[in-house]
Amino acid sequence: MKRIFTTLFVLAATFAVNAQQLKAYAIYDSEGNSVSFQKMSDSLSNYDVVLFGEFHDHPVVHWLQKKLTEKLYAKNSNLVLGAEMFEADNQLILDEYLQDKIPQNRFEEEMRLWNNYKTDYKPLIEFAKTNNLQFVATNVPRRYASVVSKYGLDTLKTYAKEAQSYFAKLPIKVDTITPGYAEMLKMMNGHGMQGDAMKFVEAQAIKDATMAEKILDKLSKDGIFIHYNGDYHSKSYGGIYWYLKEMNPELKIAVISAEQSDDEALEFVPEKASTGNFILFIPEDFTRTY
């Protein structure tokens, strides 16, 4: 009997040790050093803009976005929030909700919200509302990005002035050797889509340039702008980051890049060192929000 209890104890202890090795996330700096969430938060409070790259359906990322937002607000109450998930022509509706001028049900019905709004982005909106913070709808309305993907950027010149207020000022520079765009062109050309490849890149560019311009428009002096966007829009200092630097080279901009890993220990992968100031490794097999 004693031997049985001893065996059970050893098995239980082994299970406990193995369970302790499971992680929901791991954070590293650009040199591959393990970093605590607190250390990352403290560091990011010294930047003008923080671009938080996400996988849209990963709950760990969304939880960390909320916790980081709370930390940055505690450090600097002059905080502005913004997100790819809200389109510029809905800014008025968003402002009216944040200012208690329309009820929640009207806001949610009219805002063209993503399917995972209630689980993933509503907590951020409600945080801004509770603390009287600005929340900027930074993305180009999808109808204009769709037009660009079919006909190219020059088509946008024919649109009315009001329409043009919802996307970045024309002409928009598209550098096809920047991170992300070069890979996109190579991939599409490799699939025999040469005719559409450049238009597809231009559609990506109108999104990135618009988000960058909307961030700059609302960037306050001595404040911090935290922006939530798909990882692809800022990874490796491309996309939004590249356009922000083109528009204002003096800006201090930090990139958080997300990487999915099938390694339970979430060890750092050296090849990912250049993807951001901080690299967030998260489990690939985590339950998704949609």
Side-chain angles (χ1 to χ4, degrees):
M1 183 65 70
K2 182 177 180 181
R3 181 177 296 177
I4 293 174
F5 279 119
T6 302
T7 303
L8 290 173
F9 178 81
V10 171
L11 288 173
T14 301
F15 176 79
V17 170
N18 289 336
Q20 288 172 6
Q21 293 174 349
L22 295 176
K23 295 180 178 180
Y25 70 91
I27 303 171
Y28 299 91
D29 64 19
S30 58
E31 296 178 353
N33 301 306
S34 179
V35 176
S36 69
F37 179 78
Q38 184 64 52
K39 185 173 181 180
M40 179 183 75
S41 304
D42 290 341
S43 175
L44 292 174
S45 66
N46 297 310
Y47 285 84
D48 302 313
V49 179
V50 176
L51 302 175
F52 199 136
E54 68 172 49
F55 292 103
H56 298 313
D57 61 353
H58 205 292
V60 173
V61 176
H62 293 298
W63 176 66
L64 289 173
Q65 286 176 333
K66 183 174 184 293
K67 302 310 289 184
L68 178 61
T69 302
E70 292 169 354
K71 290 284 188 181
L72 292 181
Y73 178 67
K75 288 273 188 179
N76 187 339
S77 60
N78 193 11
L79 182 69
V80 180
L81 286 61
E84 169 198 358
M85 301 80 201
F86 306 106
E87 297 170 24
D89 60 337
N90 280 339
Q91 185 66 59
L92 178 61
I93 303 170
L94 178 53
D95 288 343
E96 288 174 344
Y97 176 64
L98 293 176
Q99 297 164 12
D100 274 327
K101 293 180 178 177
I102 57 172
Q104 185 177 88
N105 66 318
R106 298 307 311 166
F107 167 73
E108 293 185 359
E109 286 173 13
E110 298 184 26
M111 220 13 220
R112 299 198 306 268
L113 298 170
W114 288 22
N115 292 337
N116 59 325
Y117 167 75
K118 289 187 177 180
T119 55
D120 300 339
Y121 305 112
K122 185 175 181 177
L124 300 172
I125 291 288
E126 295 303 320
F127 181 84
K129 192 172 191 289
T130 299
N131 294 285
N132 298 311
L133 301 178
Q134 280 189 294
F135 201 119
V136 186
T138 60
N139 206 358
V140 63
R142 64 194 73 178
R143 60 186 179 273
Y144 302 129
S146 179
V147 164
V148 173
S149 70
K150 293 178 182 178
Y151 306 110
L153 270 172
D154 285 345
T155 307
L156 295 181
K157 296 176 182 178
T158 66
Y159 282 75
K161 282 188 176 181
E162 183 179 356
Q164 293 192 31
S165 71
Y166 300 133
F167 50 78
K169 295 179 181 66
L170 302 173
I172 296 168
K173 180 180 178 181
V174 182
D175 189 335
T176 57
I177 65 170
T178 58
Y181 296 174
E183 291 87 342
M184 192 183 298
L185 278 174
K186 183 178 179 180
M187 179 186 69
M188 295 191 73
N189 287 334
H191 286 84
M193 302 171 68
Q194 287 89 344
D196 298 321
M198 192 59 201
K199 294 186 184 71
F200 193 82
V201 171
E202 289 180 346
Q204 187 77 6
I206 189 64
K207 295 177 184 178
D208 292 334
T210 299
M211 287 188 274
E213 192 170 281
K214 297 299 181 185
I215 289 170
L216 280 181
D217 285 347
K218 297 298 182 179
L219 188 63
S220 57
K221 186 178 180 181
D222 300 322
I224 305 171
F225 195 118
I226 181 167
H227 190 262
Y228 321 102
N229 53 263
D231 190 58
Y232 191 83
H233 287 287
S234 54
K235 186 174 184 176
S236 301
Y237 309 102
I240 304 168
Y241 179 97
W242 187 88
Y243 279 105
L244 281 170
K245 281 294 189 181
E246 280 286 300
M247 297 171 185
N248 186 346
E250 303 303 314
L251 276 181
K252 289 186 65 179
I253 311 167
V255 172
I256 302 172
S257 181
E259 297 289 344
Q260 298 188 87
S261 175
D262 58 6
D263 171 24
E264 289 186 348
L266 299 179
E267 295 290 344
F268 184 73
V269 179
E271 290 77 15
K272 305 299 182 180
S274 62
T275 58
N277 300 79
F278 295 98
I279 303 97
L280 174 63
F281 282 78
I282 49 179
E284 189 175 36
D285 61 351
F286 216 90
T287 303
R288 303 307 169 116
T289 55
Y290 68 96

